[in-house]
Amino acid sequence: MDSAGQDISLNSPNKGLLSDSMTDVPVDTAVAAQTPAVEGLSEAEEEELRAELAKVEEEIVTLRQVLAAKERHCGELKRKLGLSALEGLKQNLSKSWHDVQVSNAYVKTSEKLGEWNEKVTQSDLYKKTQETLSQAGQKTSAALSTMGSAISRKLGDMRNSATFKSFEDRVGTIKS
């Protein structure tokens, strides 16, 4: 079986082409011929097994070549369709996250966290803390609003003062 130029790549645009990375995969039948056979095999059985081994190794090389050609063809199709490695990564991550979300561990953990959340939010301590923080937030907001109004009023008063007008006049004459 001559795998070098054989047309078995099934509709690939690279039929019969060898992959550089696959041609240097060693298939060394000479080493197998030098190793002693398992005791109890006749010479005919040993020869038959060595022939079968050589055939299987040759088929492995051929399959690697076909796989390499298919991978190149797949890459070309993806490139023509505008699919990038990033798109593939996004899809893989999306699928992986979905798989995590439907896993038993995730579902059970989510249920347990939901139960704990329910218990915590229904507790008196949580309700009192929430009410206190809400009141503190309202009071802080009112205080900041009052302080902002006071600062605005003071700045307005300062801008209308004689000192500021005099300063403004001096700066204006320096610019001119």
Side-chain angles (χ1 to χ4, degrees):
M1 175 186 248
D2 179 27
S3 63
Q6 195 168 23
D7 182 9
I8 61 169
S9 55
L10 306 174
N11 300 325
S12 172
N14 303 309
K15 288 181 182 172
L17 295 180
L18 294 177
S19 165
D20 292 338
S21 63
M22 293 298 149
T23 56
D24 45 341
V25 175
V27 179
D28 195 356
T29 54
V31 172
Q34 295 171 357
T35 57
V38 177
E39 290 183 32
L41 288 178
S42 68
E43 283 188 33
E45 290 173 325
E46 184 179 336
E47 191 59 36
E48 185 181 328
L49 289 175
R50 289 191 192 286
E52 186 177 347
L53 175 62
K55 181 180 176 185
V56 169
E57 287 176 337
E58 189 175 316
E59 289 173 355
I60 290 170
V61 169
T62 303
L63 290 171
R64 284 182 177 153
Q65 293 168 350
V66 171
L67 178 61
K70 288 292 184 182
E71 286 175 338
R72 283 191 304 274
H73 183 63
C74 179
E76 290 172 14
L77 292 174
K78 284 181 177 181
R79 184 185 51 78
K80 287 178 182 177
L81 289 170
L83 301 175
S84 65
L86 183 59
E87 277 298 316
L89 181 63
K90 283 182 190 176
Q91 289 175 352
N92 286 344
L93 287 174
S94 201
K95 184 183 180 324
S96 295
W97 177 241
H98 175 10
D99 291 347
V100 166
Q101 287 179 316
V102 296
S103 71
N104 285 339
Y106 184 88
V107 170
K108 287 179 182 178
T109 302
S110 293
E111 289 172 358
K112 191 55 102 174
L113 288 174
E115 290 171 15
W116 290 349
N117 183 47
E118 184 70 26
K119 287 179 184 177
V120 167
T121 56
Q122 296 304 317
S123 71
D124 289 336
L125 180 62
Y126 176 84
K127 290 177 181 176
K128 288 178 184 177
T129 303
Q130 184 182 27
E131 185 179 312
T132 303
L133 289 175
S134 177
Q135 290 173 357
Q138 290 171 357
K139 289 179 181 179
T140 302
S141 178
L144 290 174
S145 178
T146 302
M147 187 172 76
S149 297
I151 290 172
S152 292
R153 192 171 42 255
K154 288 292 183 185
L155 288 174
D157 292 347
M158 187 174 84
R159 186 159 191 210
N160 292 331
S161 71
T163 306
F164 186 80
K165 295 230 182 251
S166 170
F167 178 73
E168 194 175 38
D169 289 343
R170 287 184 200 155
V171 171
T173 56
I174 293 173
K175 286 185 179 178
S176 315

